[in-house]
Amino acid sequence: MHTRKLGPFTVTAIGLGCMNLSHAYGTPPSPEQGRKVLHAALDAGVTLFDTAALYGFGANESLVGPVLKPHRREITLCSKGGMAGVTGDDGVTRRVIDGRPEAIRRNCEDSLRRLQTDVIDLYYLHRWDKSVPIEESVGALSRLVGQGKVRAIGLSEVSAATVRKAHAVHPVAAVQTEYSLWTRNPEIAVLAACREIGAAFVAFSPVARGFLCDALHDVTTLDAKDIRKTMPRFAPENYARNLQLLPPYKAIAREAGCTPAQLALAWLLHKGPDIIPIPGTTSVEHLREDLAAADVRLSPRTIASLEALINQDTVAGDRYSDQSNREVDTEVF
């Protein structure tokens, strides 16, 4: 397996985003199927696993923890706090962004218990709570490092300015943000900020939430609980326009001798040795397909063709709803 540096860790060039196994894209697979995917990743040599307190309101960490426990010395385990499920007086659990130090500390303790581990290798602030100075939230993360509960810290969906403020408090090992051919926002400033401070860049949703896998042709079939139903790019009118990008995209994949999903991942790997994609899947077959992208080689001409075809000017619709856009700190075109 090809490897890359992630803060103090050496990890496989492609990691596994575990969210899909418990969260976000409609009814999740059975725990049995989730364990099959995790074991297949381990068998394939994957050493980077990414989860969060939010995913399934703790269910994902509870799924991932016992499977990875026997392999803790061989893998890098990442989780996130500062955004988690909170159960109200009405008994309903809702997503809450809370960057106060006491909330981050509580989130971490809960994650350690669910993950069945004494330490989380890389712990991210899942979202910056804009009512709390970033320095205070990062200060809480640094204390977790000092207590031996966390080895390195990261940030998710933040701007270059916030990265620099955070790094002044404690070294930031990684920044995680959506990045793919159809979401190029990191290229505005965050990638440069990461390289300036020596942080790795972890790309989530690297296959554009399934779009670049050629896996979704009719958005009206999406499950009612699928988060893509709230995303403007997946609104029927926008998606119909975006689908027109797929035939030429698939032609480039055929020319490159790979699948559409592999083309998307290979493009990211070619964008820099500090970029680590973490695709998610519920399928062992798709997992193996994704991992094989590390062996795909793209010519400069192929990369130029891809970037001219799919970019911020050719994709219809924003990546997030207005509400979700208010919750992130990333630069926009």
Side-chain angles (χ1 to χ4, degrees):
M1 296 286 286
H2 301 278
T3 60
R4 296 195 165 190
K5 293 294 292 182
L6 178 63
F9 314 107
T10 298
V11 300
T12 42
I14 298 175
L16 179 64
C18 299
M19 181 182 77
N20 304 48
L21 302 178
S22 308
H23 185 86
Y25 296 115
T27 303
S30 66
E32 179 184 14
Q33 178 61 22
R35 287 190 286 271
K36 283 182 180 178
V37 172
L38 291 166
H39 281 297
L42 289 165
D43 290 344
V46 173
T47 61
L48 176 61
F49 294 82
D50 184 276
T51 182
L54 177 71
Y55 303 158
F57 297 143
N60 195 245
E61 290 179 325
S62 296
L63 172 71
V64 168
V67 174
L68 298 184
K69 186 176 181 179
H71 308 273
R72 278 296 286 116
R73 291 186 178 181
E74 293 80 45
I75 61 105
T76 297
L77 178 60
C78 310
S79 194
K80 310 177 196 72
M83 181 164 68
V86 175
T87 303
D89 295 337
D90 57 2
V92 176
T93 302
R94 298 178 176 86
R95 184 189 68 162
V96 174
I97 297 173
D98 190 344
R100 295 173 300 160
E102 58 268 31
I104 291 172
R105 182 176 63 251
R106 182 174 62 251
N107 288 168
C108 184
E109 294 286 356
D110 290 343
S111 290
L112 288 167
R113 173 177 48 80
R114 288 189 293 258
L115 291 167
Q116 299 184 17
T117 188
D118 295 328
V119 61
I120 297 169
D121 297 314
L122 176 57
Y123 194 58
Y124 292 92
L125 183 66
H126 203 160
R127 290 289 186 274
W128 173 34
D129 178 352
K130 296 175 186 178
S131 68
V132 179
I134 188 65
E135 292 86 352
E136 289 187 21
S137 296
V138 173
L141 294 173
S142 71
R143 287 189 287 277
L144 292 172
V145 174
Q147 293 163 8
K149 296 176 180 178
V150 169
R151 289 196 170 103
I153 71 168
L155 304 172
S156 179
E157 292 277 31
V158 292
S159 66
T162 301
V163 168
R164 293 186 180 98
K165 288 180 183 178
H167 188 69
V169 175
H170 185 92
V172 174
V175 174
Q176 181 175 140
T177 295
E178 182 177 357
Y179 188 29
S180 69
L181 276 163
W182 87 343
T183 297
R184 308 285 279 279
N185 304 60
E187 297 174 3
I188 300 172
V190 167
L191 278 173
C194 287
R195 287 163 181 161
E196 175 187 313
I197 67 171
F201 186 91
V202 177
F204 76 77
S205 296
V207 293
R209 303 186 185 274
F211 174 73
L212 293 174
C213 301
D214 189 28
L216 177 64
H217 300 109
D218 184 1
V219 290
T220 65
T221 65
L222 289 174
D223 186 280
K225 295 183 179 180
D226 194 308
I227 61 172
R228 290 174 290 187
K229 289 184 75 72
T230 67
M231 295 177 175
R233 287 181 184 172
F234 292 92
E237 183 178 344
N238 285 333
Y239 202 68
R241 292 172 57 191
N242 291 330
L243 283 174
Q244 296 174 25
L245 300 170
L246 281 182
Y249 175 75
K250 290 191 290 184
I252 296 174
R254 287 193 298 271
E255 183 181 339
C258 63
T259 68
Q262 289 169 344
L263 182 62
L265 294 167
W267 174 79
L268 276 168
L269 292 171
H270 281 69
K271 294 301 288 183
D274 52 345
I275 296 173
I276 304 168
I278 51 167
T281 183
T282 61
S283 162
V284 171
E285 180 182 357
H286 290 163
L287 168 71
R288 292 170 179 157
E289 176 189 346
D290 289 346
L291 297 178
D295 294 319
V296 174
R297 295 293 173 263
L298 303 178
S299 69
R301 182 179 65 84
T302 297
I303 292 171
S305 296
L306 283 172
E307 295 180 352
L309 175 66
I310 303 178
N311 57 62
Q312 67 274 10
D313 296 321
T314 63
V315 172
D318 201 350
R319 70 183 182 109
Y320 280 148
S321 66
D322 290 343
Q323 173 62 32
S324 294
N325 275 328
R326 287 192 291 270
E327 293 175 349
V328 299
D329 178 48
T330 45
E331 291 89 356
V332 295
F333 287 101

